[in-house]
Amino acid sequence: MAYTATTTNHIPFSLPLSKLSPPHNHYRHFKVSILTPTRIPTLRIQATGDRLGEFGARDPFPAEIESAFGEKVLGNGDTEHKILIPTVSALSLSQQECTPISPLQDPMSKDDAQKLLKKVLGWRILDEEVGLKLQCLWKLRDFKCGVELVNRIYKATESCGHFPNVHLEQNQVRAELWTESLGGLSMTDFIVAAKIDEIKTSDLVPRKRAWA
C-alpha cells in the first residue's frame, strides 16, 4: 500500500507596499509556505507460515475432549467448597484452651520444651531439682506498676485455672510456671505463658529517655 504525504517548502519573496513612495520603494518581506505532495516508498511485510509458524490456539484433540481435560485444569463449577475449622496444632498457643492434666502422664522432655520455647517471648527454661520450669522477668517503673502487672497476670490466667508462681520485689516481677503434679512442664504451662505474653506492659515499664 502506498501513502501520499505533503511537505512544506518555505519560499521568501518581497512585495512592494507602494509604488509612489519617494525616493525609494519600500518592500516588506513575507514567507509563504507551499505544500507539495511527496510520495513515500511503500513498505510491504509478508509473513509466511514456514518462518513464523502458526498463530493462535489450536483446537483440542478428540482424546483431550473425551478425557474432560478442561474440567481438570479449570475446575468444575459444581465443586463443593468447605470451610475447615483449624486444628489445635494450627492455632497459636494463646488461642488454645487448657485441658485437665492427668497425673499418669509424663512431664515434657527438655527437647520438646526447647521447641515450644520459641513460641513464647521473654521466657527461659530452668532445670531444677523439682524438674523443668518456665521463668519470665519484668522490670517496671515502680512498686505500684508491679502490683498492677500482678493483677493483669491473674486476670489473663483466671480462665485456665493454672496460675504461675509470682514474686514481686520493689520494681521487679518474676513469674514461674510448672506442673507440680507431673514434676516438670506440660503443654498447659506454655499455653499460660503465651496468654501472659499478650498482656499490655508498655504503660508499666520505664520510659526511654529522649536525648536532644
Side-chain angles (χ1 to χ4, degrees):
M1 181 181 294
Y3 297 91
T4 301
T6 58
T7 59
T8 303
N9 297 325
H10 299 285
I11 303 175
F13 66 96
S14 302
L15 292 177
L17 294 180
S18 175
K19 295 182 180 180
L20 302 177
S21 301
H24 302 288
N25 291 336
H26 296 278
Y27 293 86
R28 179 169 294 179
H29 295 279
F30 292 85
K31 184 180 290 185
V32 180
S33 299
I34 300 177
L35 301 179
T36 58
T38 303
R39 188 176 184 84
I40 299 177
T42 302
L43 178 63
R44 291 185 175 87
I45 300 177
Q46 183 177 2
T48 60
D50 295 337
R51 294 183 180 180
L52 301 180
E54 297 180 353
F55 294 92
R58 64 172 176 80
D59 295 332
F61 296 113
E64 293 176 342
I65 298 177
E66 294 178 1
S67 63
F69 175 77
E71 294 183 0
K72 295 179 181 179
V73 175
L74 301 178
N76 194 335
D78 299 331
T79 302
E80 182 181 1
H81 299 275
K82 296 182 179 180
I83 300 177
L84 301 179
I85 300 176
T87 59
V88 175
S89 59
L91 297 174
S92 63
L93 289 176
S94 61
Q95 295 175 326
Q96 298 183 26
E97 298 294 335
C98 297
T99 57
I101 300 173
S102 172
L104 300 178
Q105 71 183 72
D106 296 328
M108 185 178 296
S109 65
K110 192 171 184 178
D111 292 339
D112 292 339
Q114 290 289 351
K115 294 178 182 178
L116 288 175
L117 189 63
K118 299 178 181 179
K119 297 186 177 183
V120 291
L121 302 176
W123 295 83
R124 63 173 182 166
I125 296 178
L126 301 179
D127 193 354
E128 299 183 351
E129 295 181 0
V130 295
L132 299 178
K133 290 184 178 181
L134 284 177
Q135 185 186 81
C136 189
L137 183 66
W138 295 268
K139 291 184 178 181
L140 310 169
R141 287 203 307 267
D142 48 35
F143 183 80
K144 184 178 180 180
C145 292
V147 174
E148 176 62 25
L149 178 58
V150 172
N151 292 331
R152 294 181 186 182
I153 291 175
Y154 175 78
K155 292 180 181 179
T157 59
E158 185 177 7
S159 60
C160 298
H162 188 76
F163 300 98
N165 191 1
V166 181
H167 303 271
L168 174 59
E169 301 174 1
Q170 297 297 326
N171 62 336
Q172 182 173 288
V173 173
R174 185 177 75 255
E176 294 180 352
L177 279 166
W178 79 97
T179 304
E180 188 175 1
S181 60
L182 300 181
L185 292 174
S186 64
M187 178 61 71
T188 302
D189 296 312
F190 285 92
I191 294 175
V192 173
K195 292 181 181 296
I196 294 176
D197 283 342
E198 294 185 343
I199 297 175
K200 179 184 176 181
T201 59
S202 59
D203 58 330
L204 304 177
V205 297
R207 296 186 179 92
K208 295 182 179 180
R209 293 183 178 180
W211 299 97

